[in-house]
Amino acid sequence: MKAVEIVKPGTIRIVERNIPKIKENEVLVRVKAAGICGSDVHIYHGKNAFATYPRVVGHEFVGELVEIGAQVNDLQVGDRVAIDPVVSCGQCYPCRVGRHNVCKSLNVLGVHRDGGYQEYIAVAGTQAHKLPNTIPWKIAALVEPYTIAAQVMERGRLVVDDTVLICGAGPIGLIILQAVKMIGARVAIMDIVETRLKWAKEMGADLVINAKTSDLAKEMMAFTNNEGASLIYEATGNIEILETCIHNIASAAGRVVVLGFSTEVVKIPQVDIMSRELEIIGTRLNNNKFPQVIEWFTKRLVQPAKILTHTFSFEETQKAFELAGTNPQDVCKIVLEF
Ligand SMILES: NC(=O)c1ccc[n+]([C@@H]2O[C@H](COP(=O)([O-])OP(=O)(O)OC[C@H]3O[C@@H](n4cnc5c(N)ncnc54)[C@H](O)[C@@H]3O)[C@@H](O)[C@H]2O)c1
Ligand SMILES: [Zn+2]
Ligand SMILES: [Zn+2]
């Protein structure tokens, strides 16, 4: 079988590998489609602190089951499945309190161990979630990024009465936007790329803010009757924007959910957090959100087709990575087909 291997930062090649042998608790997946995430491109460029090399990347993938381990009872050969890339130990404190996505020895497929950019992969049966026939493969590949939105919704305790700000209209910001509109809360979204803001408007954003040409804090005060946003999702990864959100935009009793993973130090006055009882909330990957998101897709509560702009054959991964990194005006989500 063929696998897309990042040999070292900057070097990608298609290699021949043996089809994996499964253990009793595992299933063998014939991969059909896999999304490209910013973090895959970062691993290619050597900018992901968690990755080791050589690595087969890809954590947003779906496929068909071709072999089932003896201990797996609820799945059959031929089932169409989406794979949860989160692997945890089950023993440590976060695992014991039901937060396995921040396990002490977290292993993410495609980051810490080989992921979905290969023709076959063995995964635990518990990681495979059945998909209905009505969801095409390239759309199903977007289930994992939507689990990020399901997770941030839970972490931020989103309710219909919230006035929300989403910073960043990249794939993740736009997916969060769809989730917020599904709940029905008022939402503003900001970016610096005009076409991404246009997409946001089409997806139902109540206000779009171009941070290059407008004053974000001023616009948000007008949008919220000077109360500030009750819930903010920081999905640009830019720490200065996070500082502005905490200092100038979050309302008293507000929540600020942090998605980015910059290692730069954020400067926040203690008194901002104390005097307004702000909650600064981290969010990472997903905590068993696949069934919920597959239901969103099945019932058409979200519009994944609006996020997908390009598809490539997996043999063109390098070309697709180059497009992903350089063209934010035209590119939102890219999916590789196998
Ligand atoms: N915590 C998690 O589980 C998780 C999962 C996926 C992605 N992420 C993170 O979420 C963020 C968004 O992911 P994505 O795939 O949409 O990334 P992306 O890079 O495609 O999108 C980021 C968006 O922010 C905008 N932006 C960047 N700097 C800006 C600035 N100074 N002012 C205004 N807009 C600015 C960009 O134009 C872009 O549209 C990234 O930081 C990513 O690492 C976190
Ligand atoms: Zn991803
Ligand atoms: Zn654990």
Side-chain angles (χ1 to χ4, degrees), residues 97-327:
V97 297
R99 305 266 296 275
H100 87 133
N101 54 313
V102 286
C103 171
K104 240 181 111 184
S105 29
L106 180 69
N107 260 300
V108 181
L109 300 185
V111 182
H112 307 89
R113 59 169 84 167
D114 284 345
Y117 291 4
Q118 47 187 330
E119 290 182 299
Y120 294 88
I121 182 170
V123 301
T126 50
Q127 286 172 268
H129 297 270
K130 270 196 241 181
L131 292 162
N133 292 329
T134 49
I135 307 173
W137 289 119
K138 62 182 183 186
I139 296 294
L142 273 67
V143 166
E144 193 279 344
Y146 276 79
T147 66
I148 306 299
Q151 182 70 14
V152 306
M153 267 169 69
E154 179 183 287
R155 297 291 297 144
R157 305 194 303 278
L158 169 68
V159 289
V160 65
D161 291 334
D162 277 314
T163 305
V164 181
L165 168 64
I166 301 168
C167 298
I172 291 295
L174 292 172
I175 287 172
I176 295 171
L177 170 66
Q178 291 187 2
V180 172
K181 287 321 295 180
M182 176 177 68
I183 299 301
R186 273 182 88 227
V187 55
I189 186 164
M190 69 81 102
D191 207 287
I192 43 179
V193 180
E194 207 45 60
T195 48
R196 291 187 162 191
L197 293 172
K198 185 175 127 270
W199 294 333
K201 195 86 208 171
E202 288 163 9
M203 290 174 203
D206 299 286
L207 174 69
V208 299
I209 303 167
N210 188 328
K212 246 192 205 156
T213 52
S214 315
D215 182 328
L216 174 65
K218 228 166 119 187
E219 295 266 341
M220 283 309 294
M221 283 305 141
F223 184 64
T224 60
N225 269 329
N226 288 318
E227 279 195 325
S230 62
L231 177 56
I232 301 175
Y233 291 115
E234 202 318 287
T236 68
N238 180 305
I239 63 154
E240 281 157 24
I241 293 175
L242 179 60
E243 288 167 357
T244 303
C245 286
I246 294 170
H247 197 55
N248 299 322
I249 302 175
S251 77
R255 290 96 70 210
V256 180
V257 180
V258 180
L259 280 94
F261 31 100
S262 168
T263 52
E264 285 175 81
V265 176
V266 181
K267 268 189 119 172
I268 312 162
Q270 255 184 0
V271 68
D272 276 7
I273 300 174
M274 169 267 161
S275 61
R276 284 182 281 147
E277 284 199 346
L278 294 185
E279 291 176 63
I280 317 288
I281 302 169
T283 185
R284 188 170 190 187
L285 298 159
N286 88 93
N287 185 8
N288 297 317
K289 299 291 186 238
F290 273 68
Q292 182 183 350
V293 168
I294 292 170
E295 194 181 324
W296 292 354
F297 276 45
T298 309
K299 294 186 173 163
R300 300 180 192 276
L301 301 177
V302 287
Q303 305 111 42
K306 289 198 171 156
I307 301 291
L308 178 65
T309 52
H310 294 74
T311 53
F312 283 88
S313 154
F314 81 99
E315 282 154 315
E316 301 173 299
T317 303
Q318 182 165 10
K319 198 170 136 196
F321 273 16
E322 272 148 29
L323 180 69
T326 52
N327 209 344

Side-chain angles (χ1 to χ4, degrees), residues 15-135:
V15 295
E16 199 56 45
R17 287 196 177 184
N18 293 328
I19 294 178
K21 299 230 177 329
I22 58 167
K23 300 190 192 107
E24 293 205 317
N25 67 330
E26 288 182 333
V27 292
L28 188 64
V29 184
R30 185 151 74 95
V31 177
K32 288 292 199 172
I36 297 182
C37 177
S39 60
D40 298 314
V41 183
H42 288 157
I43 294 172
Y44 174 53
H45 290 304
K47 287 194 220 146
N48 183 311
F50 306 116
T52 53
Y53 301 86
R55 178 64 57 235
V56 173
V57 293
H59 55 272
E60 307 176 355
F61 62 100
V62 290
E64 191 178 283
L65 296 183
V66 291
E67 203 185 330
I68 313 286
Q71 289 170 10
V72 179
N73 299 318
D74 48 348
L75 295 168
Q76 290 178 343
V77 168
D79 280 348
R80 307 168 86 244
V81 292
I83 306 303
D84 188 339
V86 177
V87 180
S88 58
C89 78
Q91 312 287 322
C92 67
Y93 170 72
C95 282
R96 291 198 311 273
V97 297
R99 305 266 296 275
H100 87 133
N101 54 313
V102 286
C103 171
K104 240 181 111 184
S105 29
L106 180 69
N107 260 300
V108 181
L109 300 185
V111 182
H112 307 89
R113 59 169 84 167
D114 284 345
Y117 291 4
Q118 47 187 330
E119 290 182 299
Y120 294 88
I121 182 170
V123 301
T126 50
Q127 286 172 268
H129 297 270
K130 270 196 241 181
L131 292 162
N133 292 329
T134 49
I135 307 173

